[in-house]
Amino acid sequence: MEWDLSDLYKGPEDPAIQQDLEAALALAEGLNPEDLLSPQKAQDLFRRYEAALEKAYKPLNFASLYFATRTQDPTAKALLDRVRNRFTEVRNRLVPLEVALRRLPEEAFQALLAHPGLADLRHFLLRQRAYAPHTLSEREEELLNLKGLVGRSAWSQFYTEYTGRFRFLVKGKELTEMEVRALRRDPDPEVRREAHRELYGRLTAEAPTLSAVFNAVYLDYLQDLKLRGYRHPLEPVALRDEVEVRDIEALLAATEAHYPLVERYYRFKAKRLGQEKTPSQDLLAPLGEKPKVPFSEAKALVLEAFRRFSPEMEAIAREFFEKRWIDVYPRPGKRGGAFCSGGLPSTHPYVLLNHTDDLDSAHTLAHELGHGVHFYLARKQRLLNFGASTPLAETASVFAELLLDDLLMERLSGEEKTLLLAERVEDAINTLFRQVMYTFFEQKSLLARQEAALSPEAFHGIWDEEQKRLYGEAVAWTELDRAAWAGIPHFVHYRFYTYSYALGYLVVLALYGRYQEEGEAFVPKYLEVLKAGESASPKEILKQAGVELASEGFFRYGFGVLEAWLKALS
């Protein structure tokens, strides 16, 4: 199944793309910041601001999705480049209003907050205000937007295009990156070893080029920190995600304190594999025969898991299949990985997969459809309150995976349950512990970049050190493993996003604990969390469901669940 993007535009030549961009530019032109001094006028001002973003986002959404399945297509590249340029023009026309809002006299700002007609924008207004200390002049903000086209955005696109051309030869068959990564879970150890050599051998060979990309995006971020007066590399991330730097640091410290759980699991795995240590080529090795799960079966499993929790969730997920909002299989030129693009309140989400007919792909389907349900439900919000703040961004996705596991656990018995529990522990390691390890790597390599550009060997060294800290003495590494950092696109596309997977995983465990305690009574509370979008802070949204984000009890409960799973395996 390939997705149908016609709900957005008929194709890359659709004249409506240019018409919407022109309409966005017209709406963004002439917004008078002085209207912020009148709450009544401000209502219309924000409606126009929102409409301009709506008209600009839709072409960008289409161009990004079109490019994602055609990364080597000149037409797709040209479209994305053209739309990004026009989108930046729109953003620059909105800069004067954004700067004025952030610098508005306090009395006038409080008048906006108090006005009934702006009540549903209270959270948006407060979020904008929080950026005031780090907002530059109008001209400087415009220049930074323009710089982004040849800075972060350009390097991000280059990385996607460049790595999208990688091909790997395993058992005489040419494979994409996602296909070769899937073979690291193959039951045949020789296949796993060949896939490992191909993947990490290529990343080792490409490290000089990819390290240049990393150095460029790191320097861009360091310049932004300095220009905007941030005192800590995590400060803009915390501001974006509406948490405190200390909340992120508490997450990192709590996870690091539980690193021994990872070593304990991989000692267990080594014993099951008949090894003294788990070979790095076998980190993802199945502990028993893993079932083949064709897409049709994965679809049926996920829909059943959703239905048992909430018929509303199942009905929403079913639309993705019936209306072709999903692109399923890997193919040349298609970007690797999986994602859900949230779209707009006026459109709908799309899901990209690289399904390889195994249980991991079934979990990925559940994960991305969890995102899809989240965005679908959040469409009740207006655009300025739409989406999912980072601490909640992975909530619905990981929760959906646990729902799938619950269904599978009921259908399995004996050794099969042990194998699935081991899968659940490995998922926790990859979603929680490894993401924190990634964050430590990013912190240390970014700090080193302050002094000078890092060589591939410098990146290798930092990665190797962090990897060994996480796994302790339980894993036997190869020289090729040192280059794994180069194949993680999050380090290029975002700054410090990976911590959110870890935080989101602990949020899910807390919500899942509430579900186990309350049963069906919890379902409407959970759906309200998803419907809230960004209409309030993540802490406020979660509090309504009985979860206190980043508290001592929050961490204690989450890691307690993981310890219980490990104990059940022993």
Side-chain angles (χ1 to χ4, degrees):
M1 179 190 295
E2 296 183 17
W3 55 25
D4 177 6
L5 301 181
S6 63
D7 286 349
L8 298 174
Y9 298 101
K10 294 176 183 177
E13 305 302 327
D14 189 337
I17 295 175
Q18 186 62 27
Q19 290 166 10
D20 281 349
L21 289 169
E22 294 299 330
L25 285 165
L27 285 164
E29 182 68 37
L31 293 178
N32 186 0
E34 291 188 6
D35 286 349
L36 291 170
L37 298 173
S38 164
Q40 192 65 38
K41 291 181 179 179
Q43 289 183 77
D44 181 61
L45 194 65
F46 286 123
R47 277 193 290 269
R48 283 189 58 193
Y49 173 84
E50 204 166 32
L53 289 174
E54 171 96 11
K55 288 288 188 182
Y57 276 140
K58 187 179 175 184
L60 183 62
N61 187 210
F62 175 81
S64 299
L65 293 172
Y66 190 79
F67 173 76
T69 58
R70 300 168 177 82
T71 64
Q72 308 307 308
D73 182 348
T75 300
K77 294 180 194 178
L79 174 66
L80 183 58
D81 186 59
R82 176 167 61 87
V83 171
R84 276 181 175 163
N85 285 334
R86 299 313 295 269
F87 181 81
T88 300
E89 288 184 49
V90 175
R91 291 294 313 171
N92 274 345
R93 291 189 184 186
L94 298 175
V95 163
L97 175 61
E98 294 167 349
V99 172
L101 176 60
R102 294 172 184 182
R103 294 182 170 178
L104 199 64
E106 186 61 25
E107 183 179 348
F109 182 73
Q110 290 301 322
L112 294 181
L113 292 180
H115 189 68
L118 296 170
D120 63 346
L121 287 182
R122 179 179 178 82
H123 180 241
F124 165 78
L125 294 171
L126 290 171
R127 287 201 72 187
Q128 288 293 313
R129 192 69 164 180
Y131 281 97
H134 309 289
T135 299
L136 306 177
S137 69
E138 290 178 20
R139 184 56 181 158
E140 288 169 325
E141 292 290 346
E142 290 170 0
L143 289 173
L144 285 178
N145 284 337
L146 291 169
K147 181 178 75 71
L149 292 172
V150 292
R152 284 178 304 237
S153 295
W155 285 112
S156 177
Q157 183 171 338
F158 171 78
Y159 180 90
T160 299
E161 292 178 24
Y162 189 75
T163 57
R165 290 195 290 269
F166 291 177
R167 296 293 177 268
F168 306 88
L169 196 65
V170 179
K171 298 297 181 185
K173 185 177 180 181
E174 187 177 82
L175 304 174
T176 65
E177 180 180 342
M178 294 312 298
E179 289 172 322
V180 80
R181 285 188 181 276
L183 291 182
R184 295 193 60 220
R185 302 177 185 273
D186 195 272
D188 185 342
E190 287 307 312
V191 171
R192 293 197 300 271
R193 276 150 182 72
E194 189 173 349
H196 180 275
R197 285 194 301 271
E198 278 289 302
L199 176 62
Y200 294 118
R202 181 62 181 270
L203 291 176
T204 299
E206 298 287 355
T209 299
L210 299 180
S211 65
V213 177
F214 277 55
N215 276 304
V217 296
Y218 278 14
L219 182 58
D220 185 276
Y221 186 69
L222 289 167
Q223 289 174 336
D224 270 4
L225 291 176
K226 186 176 181 180
L227 286 170
R228 296 188 180 281
Y230 288 110
R231 296 163 297 176
H232 193 289
L234 288 173
E235 195 175 353
V237 181
L239 188 59
R240 177 196 70 198
D241 299 344
E242 296 183 89
V243 296
E244 303 293 332
V245 169
R246 64 175 178 268
D247 293 332
I248 301 176
E249 291 177 331
L251 167 70
L252 301 180
T255 308
E256 185 178 16
H258 287 87
Y259 270 12
L261 294 177
V262 177
E263 182 172 9
R264 185 170 141 198
Y265 172 76
Y266 279 100
R267 288 196 181 282
F268 159 81
K269 187 164 190 173
K271 187 176 180 180
R272 288 288 300 246
L273 294 172
Q275 303 278 353
E276 183 178 343
K277 293 184 177 183
T278 300
S280 64
Q281 303 95 320
D282 295 333
L283 279 177
L284 303 179
L287 292 178
E289 187 174 352
K290 297 180 72 171
K292 283 291 181 183
V293 185
F295 183 68
S296 59
E297 185 178 343
K299 169 186 171 182
L301 285 168
V302 171
L303 289 176
E304 174 64 10
F306 283 17
R307 184 197 63 75
R308 292 174 3 137
F309 178 75
S310 162
E312 183 179 359
M313 273 183 62
E314 189 261 354
I316 293 169
R318 190 173 291 278
E319 280 196 65
F320 282 76
F321 301 102
E322 294 175 346
K323 297 181 178 178
R324 288 177 52 206
W325 298 347
I326 305 180
D327 199 285
V328 178
Y329 295 107
R331 57 186 181 272
K334 181 178 176 179
R335 63 158 283 180
F339 67 78
C340 176
S341 173
L344 298 158
S346 61
T347 60
H348 58 75
Y350 281 94
V351 164
L352 180 139
L353 305 171
N354 278 278
H355 193 87
T356 50
D357 289 344
D358 54 24
L359 190 57
D360 299 300
S361 291
H363 279 98
T364 300
L365 176 60
H367 183 103
E368 299 305 338
L369 281 178
H371 281 308
V373 170
H374 194 170
F375 285 118
Y376 190 102
L377 289 172
R379 295 191 306 169
K380 66 172 285 187
Q381 304 292 340
R382 60 189 294 178
L383 179 58
L384 297 181
N385 290 334
F386 178 68
S389 56
T390 303
L392 295 177
E394 297 301 326
T395 298
S397 54
V398 180
F399 195 90
E401 290 190 66
L402 291 180
L403 293 177
L404 176 60
D405 278 347
D406 281 348
L407 174 63
L408 292 171
M409 288 292 274
E410 289 181 14
R411 296 187 175 183
L412 302 176
S413 60
E415 177 66 6
E416 290 178 320
K417 280 191 175 182
T418 299
L419 295 177
L420 186 59
L421 184 57
E423 288 273 336
R424 182 175 275 188
V425 172
E426 286 198 21
D427 185 58
I429 289 170
N430 291 323
T431 309
L432 172 55
F433 289 97
R434 275 188 70 88
Q435 304 305 319
V436 164
M437 184 200 93
Y438 292 174
T439 305
F440 281 129
F441 166 81
E442 192 171 356
Q443 278 186 312
K444 291 180 180 179
S445 52
L446 185 71
L447 181 64
R449 180 65 182 91
Q450 289 180 323
E451 301 301 321
L454 274 67
S455 67
E457 189 57 40
F459 280 115
H460 291 344
I462 297 170
W463 180 263
D464 191 49
E465 178 185 353
E466 290 307 310
Q467 202 161 231
K468 288 175 178 176
R469 280 204 317 120
L470 174 59
Y471 292 90
E473 296 297 320
V475 175
W477 301 102
T478 72
E479 187 67 20
L480 294 179
D481 292 305
R482 292 160 54 86
W485 57 270
I488 300 171
H490 287 80
F491 293 148
V492 174
H493 301 321
Y494 317 100
R495 286 281 60 78
F496 295 111
Y497 185 81
T498 56
Y499 97 89
S500 68
Y501 287 103
L503 183 59
Y505 194 87
L506 291 173
V507 166
V508 168
L509 291 181
L511 290 170
Y512 186 72
R514 289 287 178 184
Y515 173 45
Q516 290 179 313
E517 292 171 7
E518 300 177 24
E520 289 187 10
F522 173 77
V523 174
K525 296 179 186 178
Y526 175 76
L527 296 180
E528 285 303 313
V529 168
L530 305 189
K531 291 174 183 177
E534 292 186 293
S535 60
S537 74
K539 289 186 177 182
E540 291 170 323
I541 292 170
L542 286 170
K543 192 173 182 180
Q544 297 302 312
V547 173
E548 189 177 348
L549 186 67
S551 65
E552 183 180 341
F554 172 79
F555 291 125
R556 185 171 59 249
Y557 178 83
F559 288 108
V561 170
L562 299 180
E563 287 175 334
W565 289 349
L566 268 174
K567 186 177 180 180
L569 281 175
S570 301

